[in-house]
Every structure is written in structure tokens, then in C-alpha cells.
């Protein structure tokens, strides 16, 4: 199985490799534009970014599947505050499937900076005094005290989007 990931972010590539390891895939990272702002601001915008990445990754390669991963923030109905959300999209060129990872409420001081136009990765780096948190444990890891991390959270989204291609229940 040959898989193209619509990102060169090592966390996103590792999420795909880890999730699909039982299939022993050949995974290639492809730099593509998501077609959405750097900081997606809703579930539809985050999903659209993942879909675009999956299509563009597949089109740029001879892979069997294109996989797009996108993190964003959203106001979730019935849930207070602003939440971090993660979505994956998988396409084989004929079908497109989507799946989400976990969500977590962002601290108010982070949410207010995002409301002011900043992006989550740099805000988290500033809060932590680090550089490149989005390429390591991510906000998911920091805000759960390591109970999960960005790779694991994105892996769940990949599993939920890729699974329908592997079982007969979606025909």
C-alpha cells in the first residue's frame, strides 16, 4: 500500500505511519496547500482543509490513498469555550471519507489570543517558552499533561477516516 500525506509536518506523517503500520505502508509526505487559513476556525473549515490536503496529496503522487490532516479551533454547540479539533480525510480518488480525533477546550487566555487573530501553535510556544510545539506534543499533549499528544490525537482521526476503506460495511 502506497500512501501520500498532504503535509511534511513530522507529527502528521508519524500519525499516519503509526495508525496504518499493520498494513506496512509506504508513506510519502507531500507539501500541499490546505486551501484554508493557517488557523481554521470551524469544523467545516477544518474538514475542508483535510479534504483538500487529501486530494492534493493523491494528485501529486501515484499513491493508493491521499490522506489529509488538519487541526483547527471551533465553538462546539453545547460546550463552553473554544475547542481544539482535529480532522482527517482519506481518498482513493473515487471515495472520500472523514474522521475526527478528540477535542479539548482551550484555556480562556489562549482562546482570547486566537480571537485576536493569533495562531494556536505560536500562542502555545509563547505560553510555554518553547519553539515548534506543533511539531512535537502539540497543544493536545500540553493541555492533557501528556495523557495524549498531537500524534495520538491525529492517529485517531486517521483511523476513523481510513477504517471505512478496510471494512465491507460502507459499500
Amino acid at each position: 500500500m502506497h500512501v501520500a500525506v498532504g503535509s511534511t509536518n513530522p507529527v502528521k506523517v508519524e500519525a499516519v505511519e503509526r495508525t496504518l503500520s499493520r498494513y506496512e505502508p509506504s508513506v510519502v509526505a507531500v507539501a500541499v496547500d490546505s486551501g484554508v487559513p493557517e488557523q481554521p476556525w470551524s469544523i467545516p473549515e477544518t474538514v475542508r482543509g483535510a479534504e483538500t490536503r487529501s486530494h492534493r496529496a493523491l494528485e501529486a503522487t501515484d499513491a493508493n490513498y491521499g490522506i489529509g490532516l488538519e487541526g483547527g479551533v471551533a465553538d462546539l454547540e453545547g460546550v463552553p469555550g473554544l475547542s481544539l479539533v482535529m480532522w482527517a480525510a482519506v481518498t482513493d480518488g473515487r471515495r472520500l471519507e472523514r474522521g475526527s480525533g478528540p477535542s479539548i477546550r482551550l484555556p480562556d487566555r489562549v482562546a482570547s489570543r486566537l480571537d485576536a487573530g493569533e495562531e494556536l501553535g505560536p500562542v502555545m510556544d509563547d505560553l510555554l517558552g518553547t519553539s515548534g510545539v506543533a511539531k512535537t506534543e502539540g497543544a493536545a499533549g500540553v493541555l492533557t499533561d501528556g495523557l495524549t499528544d498531537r500524534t495520538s490525537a491525529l492517529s485517531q482521526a486517521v483511523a476513523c477516516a481510513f477504517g471505512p476503506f478496510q471494512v465491507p460495511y460502507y459499500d
Side-chain angles (χ1 to χ4, degrees):
M1 173 188 311
H2 185 49
V3 176
V5 180
S7 176
T8 58
N9 183 315
V11 170
K12 292 182 178 184
V13 174
E14 182 182 346
V16 171
E17 291 172 340
R18 182 186 296 178
T19 304
L20 303 182
S21 65
R22 70 196 267 190
Y23 304 108
E24 299 179 359
S26 163
V27 179
V28 62
V30 183
V32 298
D33 183 68
S34 68
V36 298
E38 190 68 28
Q39 180 63 74
W41 263 89
S42 65
I43 289 175
E45 197 168 70
T46 305
V47 170
R48 190 168 57 253
E51 292 171 344
T52 300
R53 287 180 183 278
S54 71
H55 287 299
R56 290 180 176 172
L58 186 66
E59 291 166 2
T61 65
D62 64 347
N64 304 104
Y65 299 97
I67 300 179
L69 294 153
E70 196 72 40
V73 296
D75 289 306
L76 303 178
E77 186 175 338
V79 177
L82 187 65
S83 294
L84 169 63
V85 296
M86 292 164 236
W87 281 83
V90 177
T91 186
D92 63 0
R94 293 178 304 279
R95 270 175 55 197
L96 178 66
E97 297 289 343
R98 300 149 196 91
S100 71
S103 63
I104 184 170
R105 185 182 66 81
L106 295 169
D108 291 340
R109 64 181 166 166
V110 171
S112 66
R113 289 181 63 180
L114 299 179
D115 281 334
E118 294 184 65
E119 295 173 22
L120 182 58
V123 169
M124 293 301 298
D125 281 333
D126 184 51
L127 181 72
L128 301 167
T130 60
S131 176
V133 72
K135 294 186 177 182
T136 57
E137 73 266 33
V142 171
L143 298 175
T144 63
D145 194 30
L147 294 172
T148 192
D149 60 25
R150 190 167 189 225
T151 304
S152 296
L154 289 169
S155 292
Q156 293 301 307
V158 171
C160 292
F162 191 79
F165 286 96
Q166 301 304 305
V167 298
Y169 312 114
Y170 292 88
D171 293 343

